[in-house]
Amino acid sequence: MGKGKLEKFREMETFANVFQYPFSVVDEAPFAMKGKWHEQYFKNNHPIVLELGCGKGEYTVELAKRYPEMNFIGVDIKGARMWTGAKQALESQLTNVAFLRTNIEIIDRFFAQDEVSELWLTFSDPQMKNPHKRLSSTFFMEKYRHFLKDGGVVHLKTDSNFLHTYTEAMVKTNNLPLLFTTTDLYHTKGLDAETQKILAIQTYYEAMWMERGLNIRYLKFQLLHAISLHEPDIEIPLDEYRSYHRPKRSSLKTSK
């Protein structure tokens, strides 16, 4: 039988690669390492890449293995899931990976200007009813611009047609440089070797969705600083499914 949640939380308190600062903590104890990740944790000046909503952390860990010349930080509020990746990183003696357990709504409290080079959004909840909760919304893009370098790359990997379509529209509306997009990642021909190397990494949930016959969608774009961001005005068909075979909660067919 696997470890229970409470046991995982207790063990994570001893992990040197995990920092736990949810809403309930950060106001009382501000994060002192903001702007000092290179100096105080990684001990190098390599680029920092965040995975927001990292879940079990397997994507963060696999990226760290493939790119030892870069630093990776997985961010999520679900500590019991994060334990898996944090434990694996320690056992693999990976010094270029860390985990931050916090609410992504306050992510800008943990990183200073230009401290982060890239962002990964892997299988985020599409939040079809509330644009402000979508991790690729302009609400979050404004937060990311506080710490992401000007022109820093944002990657979105998702099973959701809704989230992929919305993010494409957000990019187009704001004239952000779209570097690549596909609605069927594993059947797209002509991908260069570097892209294949990165995108071949599969999360636990990605494998489940692929078994259900869902296409995996991907896009990447650059986030610019010196522009005003606006939400796209577009009606998008809702996804016809929800995770774990649960039915849709709403009878609506489209949303903005």
Side-chain angles (χ1 to χ4, degrees), residues 23 30 85 88 101 142 151 162 201 204 206 215-216 221 234 254:
F23 269 130
Q88 183 181 352
R101 190 176 78 83
E142 291 286 6
F162 182 93
I201 304 170
Y204 170 78
E206 179 177 2
N215 288 353
I216 304 303
F221 62 94
I234 179 176
T254 64

Side-chain angles (χ1 to χ4, degrees), residues 203-221:
T203 69
Y204 170 78
Y205 294 106
E206 179 177 2
M208 288 178 54
W209 289 317
M210 289 179 67
E211 287 180 2
R212 291 168 56 183
L214 299 176
N215 288 353
I216 304 303
R217 302 160 193 272
Y218 169 75
L219 64 81
K220 64 177 177 177
F221 62 94

Side-chain angles (χ1 to χ4, degrees), residues 45-247:
N45 289 317
H46 298 165
I48 292 177
V49 180
L50 305 187
E51 184 192 1
L52 302 181
C54 68
K56 292 178 178 287
E58 65 264 49
Y59 212 84
T60 300
V61 170
E62 289 304 316
L63 284 171
K65 288 180 178 178
R66 284 166 168 76
Y67 296 93
E69 73 282 4
M70 302 178 76
N71 301 315
F72 296 89
I73 303 173
V75 183
D76 209 308
I77 192 59
K78 300 292 183 64
R81 295 180 184 175
M82 180 182 290
W83 173 89
T84 302
K87 182 80 169 179
Q88 183 181 352
L90 289 175
E91 292 175 346
S92 300
Q93 298 183 332
L94 295 174
T95 60
N96 65 326
V97 60
F99 289 91
L100 174 63
R101 190 176 78 83
T102 194
N103 305 82
I104 297 177
E105 291 84 353
I106 57 173
I107 189 64
D108 51 328
R109 299 192 188 189
F110 300 92
F111 301 94
Q113 182 178 356
D114 296 334
E115 193 169 18
V116 175
S117 295
E118 294 185 34
L119 297 177
W120 277 88
L121 310 176
T122 50
F123 300 94
S124 310
D125 187 329
Q127 297 287 352
M128 292 182 282
K129 293 183 179 181
N130 191 342
H132 282 182
K133 290 187 177 182
R134 293 171 203 154
L135 295 190
S136 59
S137 68
T138 55
F139 173 79
F140 277 101
M141 292 297 148
E142 291 286 6
K143 291 183 177 292
Y144 304 155
R145 292 201 295 189
H146 285 115
F147 55 81
L148 185 66
K149 292 181 178 179
D150 190 17
V153 175
V154 180
H155 304 260
L156 173 76
K157 196 177 184 186
T158 181
D159 62 299
S160 169
N161 175 67
F162 182 93
L163 186 59
H164 183 264
T165 303
Y166 164 80
T167 307
E168 276 192 332
M170 187 280 296
V171 169
K172 182 177 180 180
T173 296
N174 293 290
N175 295 311
L176 299 174
L178 179 61
L179 304 179
F180 182 76
T181 185
T182 176
T183 59
D184 191 358
L185 177 62
Y186 294 111
H187 295 94
T188 298
K189 297 181 180 179
L191 295 179
D192 61 84
E194 190 65 20
T195 301
Q196 292 182 36
K197 176 182 176 182
I198 298 174
L199 298 180
I201 304 170
Q202 293 183 9
T203 69
Y204 170 78
Y205 294 106
E206 179 177 2
M208 288 178 54
W209 289 317
M210 289 179 67
E211 287 180 2
R212 291 168 56 183
L214 299 176
N215 288 353
I216 304 303
R217 302 160 193 272
Y218 169 75
L219 64 81
K220 64 177 177 177
F221 62 94
Q222 290 177 285
L223 182 57
L224 306 178
H225 288 185
I227 60 171
S228 297
L229 294 174
H230 305 280
E231 276 293 300
D233 185 13
I234 179 176
E235 288 283 341
I236 307 171
L238 300 180
D239 294 334
E240 296 180 352
Y241 67 94
R242 297 180 69 243
S243 299
Y244 310 112
H245 301 279
R246 292 178 293 179

